[in-house]
Amino acid sequence: NVASKNIELKKLVYVYLVRYAEEQQDLALLSISTFQRALKDPNQLIRASALRVLSSIRVPIIVPIMMLAIKEASTDLSPYVRKTAAHAIQKLYSLDPDQKEHLIEVIEKLLKDKSTLVAGSVVMAFEEVCPDRIDLIHKNYRKLCNLLVDVEEWGQVVIIHMLTRYARTQFVSPWREDAVFDENGEKTFYDSEEERRVDQSKPYIMDPDHRLLLRNTKPLLQSRNTAVVMAVSQLYWHLAPKHELSIITKSLVRLFRSHREVQYIVLQNIATMSIQRKGMFEPFMKSFYVRSTDATHIKTLKLEILTNLANEANISTILRELQLVRFRNTDEECQDKAFAAATIQAIGRCATNISEVTDTCLNGLVLLLSNRDETVVAESVVVIKKLLQTQPSQHSDIIKHMAKLFDNITVPMARASILWLMGEYCEHVPKIAPDVLRKMAKTFTSEEDIVKLQTVNLAAKLYLSNSKQTKLLTQYVLNLGKYDQNYDIRDRTRFIRQLIVPNEKSGVLSRYARRILMAPKPAPVLQSAFKDRDRFQLGTLSHTLNSQANGYLELSDWPAVAPDQSVRIVEVVEPAGAPVLGKSKPGKSAEKFYSDSEEEEEGSSSEDSSSSSKSESESESEENSDDSNKSSSSQSENSSRESDSEKKKKTLKNKKLQQQKPDILNITYLPPQIIQKALLLIIMTKLFSIHIVLSFSNQFVANCRCSLLCLCVFLACQFDAVSWHVRVSLQASFPVFVPETSHELLHRMTGKGLSAQYRFTRQPCIYGNSMVSLQLTLSNSSDQALENIHISEKSSTGQNIHRFNAIERLEPQASVTVSMGVDFNDSTQAANFQLCTKEDEFSVSIQPAVGELLLPITMTEADFTKEQGKLVGMNESSATITMTPENVSSQSVNRKVVSVANLGVIPSSQENIHRFAGKTVSSGCLVLVSVALKDPDAGITINTEKTVMGSMLLRQVKTALTNSGP
């Protein structure tokens, strides 16, 4: 059934295989070939399901197949398949960690994906495989911040946690007192130089990228997903300035309406926050009041938070609530002993932390000593014992009252606490303490171990302070403890006897017995159980468990000095003056017609550098020309090596010379007959000298170049008076390979029935020499006709866009193909515009690959070598790769290179060297690519003035040559 053509059945079979693949591995292996075929299925659901099942078969022998499938799926046109590839990365890494380096390459590629469907999955793969490779995030940081709002909810959680760790390594702490929170980060902190001299310390100004993260995550506090709200809250807690933390309070309080599991996690995090920032939650104190319907663990956490929020201003309100909690629904509360104990502990903490209410809390706890519940009495005794250590002399009456209740208290911890109080403050109750020891001597053998130990301690302290009354009692208790079954009690008894009862064997230590046993003890500090949990990142499993869980990544400390900010800048080549959509650049055609030599001097079009080298006869004719023309040509050859300042000076000089030169005629793309007639007519008049630029297409060169050159030489011999400057400039040839792949511009669901796809034709654009030619296919999948389909004139993104003529009407289920041109300015930055119908407007964008921004040219091998020698150093990008056997052939290399880049193939006399040439569409800069095969390696070299474009093209060529298959 795995090969069934029924899509629904096939998906069900895939689900079944995922479930039982590990249990029946041999049977699962039989279907791998079918999965590989399914990876090429036109249906994206089938492709994704096949990859999901293939990656779920945990058999090491198919690791190479899985690796290849993941690489292919990572470049799939469907974002759903790419998302599945990101999920498969984690599965393959857990199966074979040795594939880490190859998987990191796929992760790096997928991190650049602009689809919101892929972002969360690839970041999850990044966290699993290489969470320490922060360098992979630099270039994608701003993109992830901007995509965050549109990513699916669980992807948002993963990205936010990753960006939290990233920000702690890349930005300095915003918690300084001299912090200046400027959104733009452009204004200085001090207004005058004098104030700067007074304080030389540099104030903190928030990094714009730091502010970008906070600003883009803030709207997510309104998310319906509690995990997203919690993730944003922890991000603000760890990254935001302290005065901005209040914005997360309402969102956290809102989560109390959710299930008790969610409440538990949220309350744990609030308990940690409330220790350091009480002011955040104090306005919402009523939200933490205990309800009778709350579970025990929820009640306990609310008490914890109320205790953390206690201060002199609200302590009376909190104590009143604690009292109501204790006495509300008494029968139910008594059954919940843990909560009753927690309530008493909360009262004790309030009394310890706020001295003004210590007496009030003590009196209330003393009243609880007569309660029927043993747990309440025991916990009250323990808390009172801790409170009495703060002011024992003022509370002797409480100690006496506790001694009177001693017989009625049966909980061992409570009895032990009373005995400790009697011994510690026996001097304040000299008449009661011996009587308590007498009672304990009677029941010593039946008491719990903790009570016996405190009885021995009480006997020792009374022997030292009141030996007349308690000497015999002490000896009796020590004799009982000497033969007790517990060795701790026996050891304690022997130690006490040698310490307090002097004899011949007693050492010097017995003289210090009183100072040892009766030494003043420091008062205990009642602290919150969440005091030390801030060492873990909020919202993590480690914080919930208060223990480091497997896979936990600690937040790093803030760097003392901010790292380089430029690592997050994505290099995008933008023009100096961005033209308005639909408008051509002013004066460009005229300037090209009248001042071609000036463009040659400025190096703006770089057509001379991208053309083939001149023939020997032409160079000889140039040597015989006047001095001004010699200097002009030499400056053109060396323009790429000169500094910008020298170029500007020479440009001004050449403009003056240009005004003195005779008029220049530029004849371009004309039939031979017309050129001949025009030359004869102009030469016969002898009115001005002629500068002819013959520009040939590939077909034109084949048919007419020889005859035209012969004509020019003949005319030059006949008319000596005419000054000839003949320069052959080879223009774009026909593309070697034209991809048929179309890219989605507008989906039919988004376009309300209108769908659009675009394709790069790789032909010279008829709308402008600097534009890239595109073909759009518009389809109407709705049941109604669409009218007035056009591109809005208002939209503009900096690119010059030639709009297609408006389509008046598109019938249902009909399609139409139109052409348009876009000047991308030699940049891969997307062109954004509005595709409109009569009723609606849709925002669309066209993202070009770097290889589509080129036009192929032809030249000889010698010309290629000469031009390549001019573009070295920073203008050269190179890499060495290992070729697969099927890619070593000449046809394979040529096919793969021209498939990713619109380049022309240059004939080569060496079998192991392949050369390709092209020029950028917008600026005409030369792009030279050479691939040298050295079995099994290959060296790739790209020479171009556009260094950024060269680096991007190098990565694409490497990917094409290392991938197997077509």
Side-chain angles (χ1 to χ4, degrees):
N1 286 324
V2 77
S4 172
K5 300 206 174 163
N6 188 319
I7 294 179
E8 296 301 323
L9 178 59
K10 182 176 287 194
K11 288 194 292 185
L12 289 173
V13 173
Y14 283 171
V15 173
Y16 181 87
L17 286 172
V18 170
R19 169 65 179 81
Y20 292 102
E22 288 193 52
E23 299 177 14
Q24 301 288 337
Q25 294 184 3
D26 295 337
L27 293 177
L29 287 175
L30 296 177
S31 57
I32 287 181
S33 59
T34 309
F35 297 146
Q36 290 179 295
R37 288 196 300 272
L39 290 172
K40 306 294 183 182
D41 194 277
N43 191 321
Q44 61 176 352
L45 297 178
I46 298 299
R47 296 200 303 272
S49 300
L51 179 60
R52 186 181 300 112
V53 179
L54 187 62
S55 59
S56 300
I57 301 177
R58 302 184 62 79
V59 182
I61 195 173
I62 65 168
V63 166
I65 299 176
M66 293 169 58
M67 188 71 240
L68 182 60
I70 292 174
K71 285 185 177 180
E72 291 180 352
S74 65
T75 58
D76 195 279
L77 294 178
S78 170
Y80 180 70
V81 179
R82 300 198 298 272
K83 174 188 178 75
T84 308
H87 291 166
I89 290 174
Q90 307 167 56
K91 300 179 186 177
L92 180 55
Y93 179 69
S94 64
L95 179 63
D96 186 7
D98 294 336
Q99 300 293 326
K100 181 175 181 179
E101 294 301 323
H102 298 290
L103 293 175
I104 290 177
E105 295 178 3
V106 180
I107 292 174
E108 184 177 8
K109 183 190 305 180
L110 288 175
L111 280 172
K112 299 175 183 177
D113 200 304
K114 295 187 177 181
S115 173
T116 55
L117 194 63
V118 182
S121 301
V122 67
V123 170
M124 188 66 208
F126 169 82
E127 292 282 80
E128 290 289 333
V129 179
C130 52
D132 55 331
R133 288 291 304 272
I134 295 295
D135 57 295
L136 299 180
I137 307 298
H138 290 325
K139 297 293 183 182
N140 304 287
Y141 171 81
R142 295 174 182 173
K143 182 195 73 175
L144 289 174
C145 290
N146 293 325
L147 289 181
L148 199 54
V149 178
D150 299 320
V151 176
E152 46 92 17
E153 294 169 341
W154 296 111
Q156 290 174 344
V157 175
V158 176
I159 294 175
I160 290 172
H161 279 280
M162 184 274 294
L163 292 178
T164 302
R165 291 193 302 105
Y166 177 86
R168 286 293 288 261
T169 63
Q170 300 300 312
F171 308 127
V172 294
S173 173
W175 301 334
R176 288 171 46 179
E177 295 181 357
D178 59 346
V180 178
F181 300 102
D182 183 10
E183 288 287 339
N184 300 321
E186 297 176 354
K187 298 179 181 179
T188 56
F189 184 73
Y190 299 105
D191 295 329
S192 63
E193 292 293 335
E194 296 179 358
E195 292 179 352
R196 290 186 189 179
R197 294 168 186 168
V198 173
D199 188 357
Q200 296 293 333
S201 62
K202 187 177 180 180
Y204 168 82
I205 297 179
M206 180 172 282
D207 191 292
D209 288 328
H210 191 172
R211 174 57 62 190
L212 174 68
L213 176 59
L214 296 176
R215 184 169 58 247
N216 286 12
T217 53
K218 182 179 178 180
L220 297 181
L221 288 171
Q222 308 300 324
S223 174
R224 63 181 180 180
N225 189 300
T226 54
V228 175
V229 177
M230 193 65 246
V232 177
S233 300
Q234 66 84 25
L235 180 140
Y236 264 78
W237 177 259
H238 293 296
L239 300 181
K242 293 182 179 179
H243 69 274
E244 297 182 17
L245 288 178
S246 58
I247 67 173
I248 68 175
T249 310
K250 288 185 179 179
S251 300
L252 289 174
V253 173
R254 174 172 60 88
L255 300 182
F256 287 171
R257 304 188 186 100
S258 187
H259 305 291
R260 62 176 59 182
E261 293 82 6
V262 174
Q263 292 182 35
Y264 178 70
I265 299 298
V266 174
L267 287 171
Q268 276 198 327
N269 288 274
I270 292 178
T272 302
M273 295 180 185
S274 60
I275 295 175
Q276 300 182 18
R277 306 286 296 178
K278 294 183 179 181
M280 285 177 56
F281 299 97
E282 191 174 351
F284 303 92
M285 193 168 61
K286 291 184 179 180
S287 300
F288 303 104
Y289 285 174
V290 178
R291 298 179 181 179
S292 59
T293 56
D294 290 336
T296 302
H297 56 280
I298 302 297
K299 293 178 182 178
T300 306
L301 284 172
K302 286 187 175 181
L303 288 179
E304 185 76 30
I305 296 172
L306 284 175
T307 309
N308 292 341
L309 298 179
N311 54 35
E312 291 81 356
N314 59 23
I315 186 61
S316 58
T317 305
I318 291 179
L319 286 178
R320 192 182 308 113
E321 174 62 21
L322 292 177
Q323 186 178 7
L324 291 173
V325 167
R326 175 64 196 86
F327 293 105
R328 189 189 303 141
N329 301 325
T330 307
D331 295 337
E332 181 183 350
E333 299 278 340
C334 290
Q335 295 176 3
D336 194 351
K337 297 182 179 181
F339 177 66
T343 306
I344 297 171
Q345 291 173 5
I347 296 174
R349 280 183 54 199
C350 291
T352 304
N353 299 332
I354 303 173
S355 58
E356 289 82 354
V357 296
T358 303
D359 295 339
T360 306
C361 293
L362 265 176
N363 295 331
L365 292 173
V366 169
L367 294 175
L368 293 178
L369 293 178
S370 57
N371 195 282
R372 295 176 299 172
D373 190 355
E374 295 179 355
T375 306
V376 174
V377 175
E379 200 63 39
S380 301
V381 171
V382 174
V383 173
I384 289 173
K385 167 204 158 187
K386 296 177 180 178
L387 293 178
L388 287 180
Q389 289 183 254
T390 58
Q391 297 173 335
S393 59
Q394 300 178 14
H395 302 291
S396 58
D397 294 337
I398 296 177
I399 299 176
K400 294 176 183 179
H401 182 69
M402 294 174 67
K404 293 176 182 179
L405 297 174
F406 184 78
D407 295 335
N408 299 325
I409 297 175
T410 58
V411 179
M413 179 58 72
R415 293 173 66 85
S417 298
I418 294 176
L419 292 175
W420 185 89
L421 282 173
M422 294 296 160
E424 187 70 17
Y425 307 114
C426 57
E427 296 177 352
H428 299 288
V429 284
K431 296 181 180 180
I432 296 177
D435 194 44
V436 173
L437 179 61
R438 178 182 60 80
K439 292 181 180 180
M440 288 305 304
K442 292 180 180 180
T443 61
F444 184 86
T445 55
S446 61
E447 296 288 347
E448 294 290 336
D449 292 342
I450 188 173
V451 180
K452 290 179 181 179
L453 289 173
Q454 292 301 330
T455 303
V456 173
N457 288 340
L458 174 62
K461 293 176 181 177
L462 288 176
Y463 182 87
L464 294 175
S465 62
N466 190 2
S467 60
K468 293 181 180 181
Q469 289 182 317
T470 59
K471 182 175 182 181
L472 295 177
L473 276 174
T474 301
Q475 292 178 354
Y476 177 73
V477 171
L478 294 178
N479 288 333
L480 291 175
K482 182 178 180 181
Y483 301 101
D484 195 86
Q485 293 182 355
N486 190 294
Y487 59 84
D488 286 335
I489 298 174
R490 296 198 300 269
D491 290 346
R492 177 69 63 86
T493 302
R494 294 191 183 97
F495 164 69
I496 293 295
R497 187 186 296 275
Q498 293 297 324
L499 187 63
I500 65 174
V501 182
N503 53 35
E504 297 178 356
K505 297 182 180 180
S506 299
V508 183
L509 195 62
S510 61
R511 288 184 288 180
Y512 302 97
R514 185 176 182 85
R515 295 177 61 181
I516 293 173
L517 294 176
M518 306 294 288
K521 278 72 172 182
V525 179
L526 300 179
Q527 296 179 341
S528 171
F530 291 84
K531 180 175 177 58
D532 298 328
R533 289 205 187 188
D534 57 350
R535 69 182 188 274
F536 297 114
Q537 184 178 351
L538 297 186
T540 60
L541 179 62
S542 298
H543 178 268
T544 302
L545 300 177
N546 197 22
S547 177
Q548 183 165 332
N550 187 24
Y552 173 74
L553 300 173
E554 292 187 0
L555 283 179
S556 60
D557 294 331
W558 295 102
V561 180
D564 185 15
Q565 301 178 1
S566 62
V567 295
R568 290 183 292 278
I569 299 177
V570 180
E571 297 180 357
V572 177
V573 181
E574 297 183 352
V580 181
L581 179 68
K583 296 183 179 180
S584 60
K585 298 179 181 178
K588 183 173 182 180
S589 60
E591 182 180 342
K592 194 169 184 178
F593 185 86
Y594 290 107
S595 58
D596 186 66
S597 62
E598 182 177 338
E599 287 185 350
E600 180 181 341
E601 298 297 330
E602 296 176 359
S604 61
S605 65
S606 302
E607 285 206 10
D608 291 346
S609 61
S610 64
S611 64
S612 61
S613 63
K614 300 173 185 178
S615 62
E616 294 180 1
S617 61
E618 292 170 340
S619 61
E620 289 176 1
S621 64
E622 287 182 356
E623 289 176 0
N624 296 329
S625 61
D626 56 352
D627 295 330
S628 62
N629 294 331
K630 286 184 181 180
S631 62
S632 175
S633 61
S634 63
Q635 289 173 5
S636 175
E637 290 180 358
N638 299 325
S639 62
S640 60
R641 305 179 185 177
E642 293 175 346
S643 63
D644 294 339
S645 59
E646 292 175 349
K647 286 183 180 180
K648 292 180 180 179
K649 293 179 181 179
K650 292 184 178 181
T651 300
L652 296 174
K653 181 179 179 181
N654 291 330
K655 286 183 178 178
K656 295 179 180 180
L657 294 174
Q658 188 66 31
Q659 296 174 356
Q660 301 174 0
K661 289 183 179 180
D663 295 337
I664 296 174
L665 177 63
N666 189 352
I667 304 175
T668 307
Y669 291 103
L670 295 178
Q673 298 84 356
I674 298 178
I675 294 179
Q676 293 177 17
K677 293 180 181 179
L679 289 175
L680 290 173
L681 179 62
I682 295 171
I683 293 170
M684 292 299 294
T685 57
K686 295 184 181 182
L687 296 177
F688 47 81
S689 64
I690 307 169
H691 185 174
I692 305 176
V693 179
L694 303 180
S695 302
F696 307 110
S697 66
N698 201 23
Q699 186 177 3
F700 192 86
V701 170
N703 297 335
C704 308
R705 179 171 61 179
C706 183
S707 60
L708 278 175
L709 289 177
C710 293
L711 173 65
C712 293
V713 173
F714 170 76
L715 292 174
C717 297
Q718 296 296 323
F719 301 96
D720 296 334
V722 181
S723 176
W724 290 91
H725 308 290
V726 181
R727 176 169 56 87
V728 179
S729 175
L730 295 180
Q731 297 292 331
S733 62
F734 289 114
V736 181
F737 173 80
V738 178
E740 297 297 332
T741 306
S742 296
H743 307 275
E744 186 176 74
L745 182 65
L746 179 66
H747 192 267
R748 58 184 178 85
M749 298 298 293
T750 308
K752 299 180 180 179
L754 176 64
S755 62
Q757 292 185 329
Y758 66 92
R759 184 175 70 88
F760 293 95
T761 63
R762 294 194 173 182
Q763 300 289 343
C765 185
I766 60 175
Y767 306 116
N769 294 334
S770 61
M771 289 187 175
V772 176
S773 178
L774 291 128
Q775 188 179 79
L776 265 64
T777 301
L778 306 172
S779 303
N780 182 5
S781 59
S782 65
D783 55 357
Q784 296 180 355
L786 299 176
E787 297 181 355
N788 192 21
I789 304 175
H790 64 282
I791 296 178
S792 174
E793 297 182 1
K794 298 179 181 179
S795 55
S796 176
T797 57
Q799 292 93 344
N800 183 16
I801 300 178
H802 186 280
R803 303 181 299 276
F804 59 83
N805 294 330
I807 301 171
E808 295 182 359
R809 184 179 179 86
L810 185 60
E811 298 297 333
Q813 308 305 320
S815 299
V816 64
T817 301
V818 295
S819 61
M820 62 180 294
V822 180
D823 186 356
F824 289 101
N825 301 310
D826 294 343
S827 168
T828 57
Q829 185 177 7
N832 302 314
F833 54 92
Q834 302 287 330
L835 185 61
C836 309
T837 61
K838 186 177 181 181
E839 294 83 9
D840 303 296
E841 290 188 1
F842 310 102
S843 297
V844 295
S845 63
I846 296 178
Q847 179 71 50
V850 65
E852 305 298 341
L853 304 178
L854 307 174
L855 286 176
I857 62 173
T858 58
M859 61 173 63
T860 63
E861 185 178 3
D863 293 339
F864 184 96
T865 306
K866 180 179 179 182
E867 297 296 337
Q868 191 179 36
K870 299 177 182 179
L871 299 171
V872 293
M874 294 183 64
N875 295 326
E876 183 175 281
S877 303
S878 60
T880 303
I881 61 172
T882 300
M883 300 279 286
T884 55
E886 60 268 19
N887 290 346
V888 176
S889 64
S890 300
Q891 294 181 353
S892 177
V893 171
N894 291 345
R895 183 176 67 253
K896 287 181 175 292
V897 173
V898 298
S899 65
V900 298
N902 190 15
L903 298 170
V905 180
I906 306 301
S908 176
S909 60
Q910 300 169 288
E911 294 182 357
N912 63 330
I913 296 181
H914 305 273
R915 297 181 173 91
F916 310 88
K919 68 173 184 177
T920 59
V921 176
S922 182
S923 62
C925 291
L926 194 63
V927 178
L928 305 177
V929 180
S930 58
V931 180
L933 301 179
K934 300 177 183 178
D935 191 27
D937 297 334
I940 307 172
T941 305
I942 297 181
N943 302 82
T944 178
E945 293 180 8
K946 298 283 186 177
T947 55
V948 177
M949 180 177 288
S951 301
M952 298 171 65
L953 183 60
L954 178 63
R955 288 197 294 270
Q956 287 199 1
V957 174
K958 285 172 56 181
T959 304
L961 293 178
T962 51
N963 286 345
S964 59

